[in-house]
Amino acid sequence: MPGMYKGLVRPPQLEDVSCHQQECIGYLLQGHCQAAGAEPFGNGNEQCDSEQHQEQPPLQPPCPAINRKQHGEEEREAHQQQAGNGKLLEKLVAEVPVTRNKRLPQKLGESLAVVPLCRQPAAGLTGEHITIDFDFYYGGESRGIEQITLLRSCRSFEFKQDNAWKLTDNGKVIAAECRGKRIEISKHTAQICSLSSDGIELLYEPCSINLFRAPMDNDISVKGEWYKIFLDKLKPKVYRITSEDNRVYAELSMGYAVHEPAARFKLEYSFGDCGIRISLKAEVHEKINYLPRLGMRFLFDKSIERAEYLGYGPYESYVDKRRASVYGSYSCKAAEQHEDYIRPQENGSHYGCESVSLFRNNAKAVEFISDSDFSFSFLPFTQEELASKTHNYMLEEYNGNVFCIDYKMSGAGSSSCGPELLEKYRLNDKKLDFIFYLLF
C-alpha cells in the first residue's frame, strides 16, 4: 500500500463523534487546538469557574500515544476532513498528550482522560487503526470507557509463494516440507492433520471445518433446527483433492450420513515464505435459515496455552454483544477465556479481530491473520463437551486447547426472553469467501 491513507475503508466523519464527545474533546484540547489555529467542538457558551481552569497533572496512558512510524519511514500526513472542524480532527490524529481536566459538564464526574491510539497490525500486514479512547474517572477510579474509531485503513498481507516447499503424496496424506516446517493434509478429509516446526508437533488432533457452536440460552428458538440438520455431527466428504505448484486444492462437502450436505466447499492451501494461505469458499444450503458460525477449528497441544490478539477484549464479544469490550491488544491464557456459565454453552469468542498469536513456552508458535476482520476463541473445552453437559461442574477439559477462527459468528441475541436474533446479526450468507494466513 503506497500511502498510509490510501485505500481507506472511509475517512473519519464528524458524525462519528457525538455532540457530547465533541464538547469533551473541545474542552480538553482547546489549548492545543488554539495553537494550531483550530476551533473546538464546543459551542462557545460553556461557563467554568476559575478553580476548574487550573491545569491538572497528566494521567499515565494505558498504551502509547500515536506513533506515525511505519516500515521505518516517518509520515506526518494527516487526513483533512472535508466537513467543518477538520483542523481539530487533524490535531487529534497528530501526537496529542494524555490530558486530565475538570473543566467538564458536571454529569461526567470528576475527570476524563483522552488517549489517541494508533495500533499497528501484525508484521507484514499493512494498514492502520486509529481510535480515541475515553477513560471516565470519579473519586480517582476509572468508572467507564468509551472508544471512537477515527480511521481504519484497508488491510492487506503480502504473501509470497516459496518454491522451496517440497510436496509429496503417499496416497493417504499430502505432505509439504520446508526449512524445518512440515504440514500434512489428509486426502480423506482435506484437513490439516499434522503441523510441526523443528520436529515439534503443534496439533493434538487434526483440524476441521467448523459450523457448530454449543447452543446459548438465547439459541433456544433455533437450536432445534441446528440439531435437525446435524450441525454437531457433520463429517467431510472429499470429491477431489490435488497438489500442484505449491498448492493443494480440494472440493468437499460437510454433511451427515445420507442427508444433504449443509455446505459445499472449495478449499485451497498455498505455501509461502512464512506459512500457509488458506482460502475457504463455501456455498451454504439454501434451506438453512442461518448458521451459528463458519470457520476452522484447530486442536492444539496443551503446551500452546497463551494467546495475544488484536481485537475486541478483554471480555467475550460478539457482533451484537461487545459494548463492554474495547478494541486493543490483549494477552490471555486459554483457561482464562472460559466464561463459567452454570449451564455450559458457547462462550469466550472475540469479535472484530485482525491477528492472533499463540505461544508455546513463551515463544510464538503460530500466528493467524487475515485481510478482513474475524472472530476467534481459545478455550480448554470443545463445543461438543459444552453442548453435552447440563451443569458446569460436569465439564471435563480437553487434552489440548481448542482454537476456532471464524469467518463470522452469529450474534448472541435475546431469544430466551425476547425477540429472535435480528437479521443483521445472523450468519445467513449463502456464498462466502474466507481467506486467512497461518504463519509458523
Side-chain angles (χ1 to χ4, degrees):
M1 192 164 60
M4 184 174 296
Y5 293 95
K6 307 297 183 184
L8 293 178
V9 175
R10 59 173 179 76
Q13 300 294 323
L14 188 60
E15 56 265 27
D16 290 343
V17 186
S18 68
C19 295
H20 182 56
Q21 293 163 339
Q22 293 173 15
E23 187 176 19
C24 295
I25 297 174
Y27 274 127
L28 292 168
L29 303 179
Q30 187 172 18
H32 303 293
C33 295
Q34 286 176 347
E39 295 296 329
F41 277 127
N43 57 23
N45 297 321
E46 299 81 11
Q47 299 294 325
C48 302
D49 57 49
S50 58
E51 182 180 354
Q52 289 178 324
H53 278 269
Q54 297 178 5
E55 185 178 354
Q56 302 297 323
L59 288 174
Q60 183 66 28
C63 302
I66 286 182
N67 178 6
R68 284 279 173 216
K69 293 183 179 179
Q70 188 177 44
H71 305 299
E73 295 181 3
E74 184 174 357
E75 295 191 40
R76 295 287 181 178
E77 177 189 4
H79 184 84
Q80 273 287 6
Q81 181 179 320
Q82 299 300 318
N85 294 319
K87 289 186 178 180
L88 179 57
L89 277 181
E90 181 182 25
K91 188 64 180 176
L92 287 174
V93 174
E95 294 177 356
V96 179
V98 181
T99 309
R100 180 175 181 174
N101 200 308
K102 293 185 178 181
R103 297 174 53 206
L104 300 170
Q106 190 63 34
K107 59 183 177 181
L108 286 180
E110 231 177 44
S111 59
L112 173 70
V114 178
V115 187
L117 298 173
C118 175
R119 299 176 179 87
Q120 298 295 335
L125 189 65
T126 61
E128 197 171 42
H129 190 158
I130 302 175
T131 68
I132 294 289
D133 289 2
F134 293 80
D135 274 312
F136 294 88
Y137 288 82
Y138 190 85
E141 296 181 356
S142 176
R143 296 298 180 88
I145 188 168
E146 189 166 1
Q147 187 177 75
I148 301 170
T149 298
L150 285 183
L151 178 144
R152 288 196 71 179
S153 55
C154 293
R155 303 196 306 273
S156 63
F157 181 73
E158 187 178 355
F159 183 78
K160 298 178 180 178
Q161 294 236 351
D162 190 347
N163 293 325
W165 285 91
K166 182 181 179 182
L167 272 63
T168 57
D169 184 344
N170 67 6
K172 294 183 178 180
V173 300
I174 297 174
E177 196 164 4
C178 176
R179 293 188 287 270
K181 301 175 183 179
R182 182 177 173 85
I183 304 155
E184 292 183 4
I185 299 170
S186 168
K187 297 188 72 173
H188 177 66
T189 64
Q191 312 293 305
I192 297 174
C193 57
S194 176
L195 184 69
S196 61
S197 179
D198 296 326
I200 299 173
E201 180 60 52
L202 303 179
L203 293 179
Y204 184 77
E205 287 188 82
C207 71
S208 59
I209 294 176
N210 194 17
L211 283 77
F212 179 69
R213 74 181 183 196
M216 300 179 177
D217 291 334
N218 288 334
D219 291 330
I220 189 170
S221 64
V222 71
K223 69 178 183 179
E225 179 184 337
W226 294 345
Y227 283 120
K228 188 177 179 179
I229 59 176
F230 305 101
L231 284 187
D232 59 325
K233 298 178 180 179
L234 298 180
K235 301 295 182 183
K237 181 178 180 179
V238 179
Y239 305 108
R240 176 189 172 201
I241 182 167
T242 59
S243 59
E244 185 179 3
D245 297 333
N246 279 355
R247 295 182 182 181
V248 175
Y249 175 81
E251 295 178 5
L252 68 152
S253 64
M254 295 294 291
Y256 177 70
V258 298
H259 299 273
E260 287 188 79
R264 298 180 182 273
F265 298 89
K266 294 180 179 179
L267 182 57
E268 182 178 278
Y269 303 93
S270 303
F271 304 96
D273 56 349
C274 52
I276 322 167
R277 177 186 183 269
I278 301 177
S279 171
L280 185 66
K281 295 183 178 181
E283 290 189 16
V284 180
H285 196 291
E286 60 181 7
K287 291 185 179 180
I288 295 179
N289 189 12
Y290 68 93
L291 292 172
R293 69 173 354 139
L294 195 150
M296 295 189 76
R297 180 172 75 170
F298 293 79
L299 303 173
F300 284 108
D301 185 81
K302 202 70 171 180
S303 62
I304 298 179
E305 62 175 0
R306 186 170 67 86
E308 291 183 0
Y309 65 96
L310 187 58
Y312 281 85
Y315 312 111
E316 63 177 14
S317 54
Y318 296 80
V319 63
D320 62 338
K321 180 189 172 185
R322 52 188 168 92
R323 297 304 179 190
S325 296
V326 176
Y327 177 86
S329 299
Y330 300 95
S331 177
C332 63
K333 291 187 175 181
E336 300 169 347
Q337 290 297 286
H338 175 64
E339 294 287 346
D340 193 27
Y341 295 113
I342 295 176
R343 179 187 174 278
Q345 55 193 283
E346 160 62 32
N347 72 88
S349 184
H350 292 280
Y351 166 83
C353 293
E354 299 181 8
S355 64
V356 184
S357 297
L358 303 182
F359 290 78
R360 179 182 181 273
N361 299 330
N362 293 321
K364 185 188 291 187
V366 63
E367 183 176 17
F368 295 85
I369 62 177
S370 178
D371 298 339
S372 56
D373 289 355
F374 59 88
S375 293
F376 89 93
S377 62
F378 187 46
L379 299 171
F381 302 102
T382 64
Q383 55 258 54
E384 292 85 356
E385 176 69 11
L386 294 171
S388 65
K389 300 300 171 60
T390 57
H391 293 82
N392 54 356
Y393 66 85
M394 302 169 68
L395 288 173
E396 297 180 14
E397 284 196 9
Y398 178 64
N399 290 330
N401 283 319
V402 183
F403 178 85
C404 296
I405 179 170
D406 294 309
Y407 161 75
K408 280 184 183 177
M409 167 80 77
S410 286
S414 59
S415 187
S416 63
C417 58
E420 293 186 2
L421 182 65
L422 295 179
E423 192 81 16
K424 63 182 179 179
Y425 298 134
R426 299 179 182 185
L427 173 47
N428 51 18
D429 307 34
K430 297 305 177 187
K431 293 185 178 181
L432 57 92
D433 188 357
F434 181 36
I435 297 175
F436 65 94
Y437 305 90
L438 193 166
L439 315 180
F440 72 108

